[in-house]
Amino acid sequence: MRIRLLLTASLLTPLIVQANDSSGFIGTGGIEYLENPYIKMLSEDLYISKQQIRVAYQFKNQSKQDIHETILFPLPILERFYNSDFANTAALVKSFKVQVNGKNLQPDIHVRAFMHAHGQTGKPVDVTESLKKCGFSDSELMAPWTEQHNNIKLHKKLSRCNNPQIHKLKAALNQQEDTGHFSPWAAQIIYSWKQTFKASSITEVQHQYTPLVGSSIHFDARKNKENTFYTTYCIDDNFRRKMKTSGKNYPAHSALSYILTTGANWAGPIGTFTLTIERDPNELVSLCWDKSLKKVGPNHFRAVKHNFIPTRDLDIIFAEGI
């Protein structure tokens, strides 16, 4: 039995950037519940902006016994390739905070490192323990996320590592690449903490972090709505008209994704789900949602659902268009 906070659909799937000009459109998410029929999510209050994601949950232990679980918040596997347009991964790591029943909690931090058996196309191999035997610290293993260590120095240190597993995988690295821009390995950071759900009681959990936001200027607002880009964000004719009126056929825009469907894994539907989206002034926002999402302020939109079972994740685009 386990509870975890999930950012990716699969922990072993490498992070895939969409294009050189629009990297960092990476899904982040909330709590996923596994194998315990007694804990119900009474409510989820989700706030999303480009600057911050905040989630507040209320859980009810419907049994007559305390339930002890480990909660995990795994960040995605971050690949070793550097891109100047990539989302601010270091900001997410620095900003992650947790509160339980109104009290700040310091989660444990775990790091895993991965290399590929056949270059970048091969299956990622967990090399955490092998790298530690060669003297690499957790801080160094986190380098793809935090950018706190010089990549050239990491490569030189790796070249001196005689561990058999590492020696075999080093051959897959391109020796002609610019090692100053590329980390020797991919990395995943996992936050964890122990949680007790008191019998017949409500437990409140809040967490917040800076989202991974991708940006690009290569969005053709004149294309038809059958285009994949339009269907991903459910861009409608009204959005297109406003773009045309503003004269911005190639608007600068940002996008983020949030893994919402894991909320369907708790004991029954979410009692009350509230979604709030905040945009910057002079922006247009588009996402796939129903008519329950309404404008509640100059730059705020809100939807409220009862007995909610999410069936689709959120993909949100913010475009300069007013």
Side-chain angles (χ1 to χ4, degrees), residues 56-208:
Y57 305 93
Q58 285 190 332
F59 299 103
K60 176 68 178 292
N61 179 356
Q62 301 178 108
S63 75
K64 296 181 180 181
Q65 295 181 338
D66 292 353
I67 296 176
H68 307 281
E69 297 284 4
T70 298
I71 294 183
L72 303 180
F73 191 101
L75 302 183
I77 295 177
L78 187 64
E79 283 298 341
R80 49 188 292 268
F81 290 99
Y82 172 85
N83 187 290
S84 60
D85 291 333
F86 202 77
N88 192 342
T89 55
L92 190 159
V93 174
K94 293 177 181 178
S95 67
F96 183 70
K97 296 180 181 179
V98 182
Q99 282 191 336
V100 177
N101 294 328
K103 296 182 179 180
N104 293 329
L105 182 150
Q106 184 61 50
D108 295 324
I109 299 176
H110 316 270
V111 60
R112 310 304 298 177
F114 301 86
M115 295 175 69
H116 292 270
H118 301 288
Q120 200 57 28
T121 60
K123 182 179 179 180
V125 178
D126 191 324
V127 293
T128 307
E129 299 308 318
S130 294
L131 289 176
K132 286 186 175 182
K133 289 178 181 178
C134 288
F136 286 97
S137 65
D138 281 350
S139 177
E140 289 173 317
L141 298 186
M142 291 183 193
W145 278 95
T146 63
E147 300 179 3
Q148 291 181 348
H149 293 272
N150 182 280
N151 285 324
I152 293 177
K153 292 182 179 180
L154 293 178
H155 276 274
K156 288 182 178 179
K157 187 173 180 177
L158 184 69
S159 69
R160 300 191 294 269
C161 178
N162 293 319
N163 180 276
Q165 183 189 37
I166 300 300
H167 182 75
K168 181 178 180 180
L169 292 170
K170 279 192 298 186
L173 294 177
N174 183 356
Q175 301 301 316
Q176 304 301 316
E177 69 185 21
D178 183 354
T179 56
H181 281 169
F182 302 145
S183 166
W185 51 76
Q188 181 182 33
I189 295 174
I190 303 171
Y191 299 97
S192 74
W193 66 92
K194 302 292 185 181
Q195 183 62 56
T196 296
F197 295 87
K198 294 290 187 180
S200 305
S201 298
I202 294 174
T203 300
E204 296 182 348
V205 177
Q206 297 87 33
H207 62 91
Q208 65 183 54

Side-chain angles (χ1 to χ4, degrees), residues 111-309:
V111 60
R112 310 304 298 177
F114 301 86
M115 295 175 69
H116 292 270
H118 301 288
Q120 200 57 28
T121 60
K123 182 179 179 180
V125 178
D126 191 324
V127 293
T128 307
E129 299 308 318
S130 294
L131 289 176
K132 286 186 175 182
K133 289 178 181 178
C134 288
F136 286 97
S137 65
D138 281 350
S139 177
E140 289 173 317
L141 298 186
M142 291 183 193
W145 278 95
T146 63
E147 300 179 3
Q148 291 181 348
H149 293 272
N150 182 280
N151 285 324
I152 293 177
K153 292 182 179 180
L154 293 178
H155 276 274
K156 288 182 178 179
K157 187 173 180 177
L158 184 69
S159 69
R160 300 191 294 269
C161 178
N162 293 319
N163 180 276
Q165 183 189 37
I166 300 300
H167 182 75
K168 181 178 180 180
L169 292 170
K170 279 192 298 186
L173 294 177
N174 183 356
Q175 301 301 316
Q176 304 301 316
E177 69 185 21
D178 183 354
T179 56
H181 281 169
F182 302 145
S183 166
W185 51 76
Q188 181 182 33
I189 295 174
I190 303 171
Y191 299 97
S192 74
W193 66 92
K194 302 292 185 181
Q195 183 62 56
T196 296
F197 295 87
K198 294 290 187 180
S200 305
S201 298
I202 294 174
T203 300
E204 296 182 348
V205 177
Q206 297 87 33
H207 62 91
Q208 65 183 54
Y209 52 90
T210 300
L212 302 178
V213 180
S215 60
S216 176
I217 59 172
H218 295 278
F219 163 38
D220 188 346
R222 301 170 300 176
K223 287 187 176 180
N224 61 50
K225 59 186 178 182
E226 282 73 29
N227 182 274
T228 302
F229 188 90
Y230 280 75
T231 56
T232 297
Y233 301 104
C234 289
I235 295 174
D236 59 15
D237 291 338
N238 184 50
F239 189 103
R240 288 160 54 86
R241 282 194 296 269
K242 289 183 178 180
M243 283 293 174
K244 183 176 181 180
T245 300
S246 69
K248 296 180 179 179
N249 291 326
Y250 298 94
H253 66 279
S254 301
L256 62 83
S257 297
Y258 185 89
I259 308 300
L260 187 64
T261 50
T262 53
N265 296 331
W266 294 84
I270 301 170
T272 300
F273 174 79
T274 303
L275 170 66
T276 302
I277 298 172
E278 181 177 0
R279 68 181 182 186
D280 292 339
N282 305 320
E283 279 187 332
L284 293 176
V285 176
S286 187
L287 69 155
C288 296
W289 200 264
D290 60 25
K291 293 181 179 180
S292 65
L293 185 63
K294 302 181 183 301
K295 192 173 183 180
V296 294
N299 300 305
H300 289 79
F301 302 84
R302 182 167 296 139
V304 179
K305 294 277 192 179
H306 299 287
N307 296 318
F308 178 56
I309 300 177

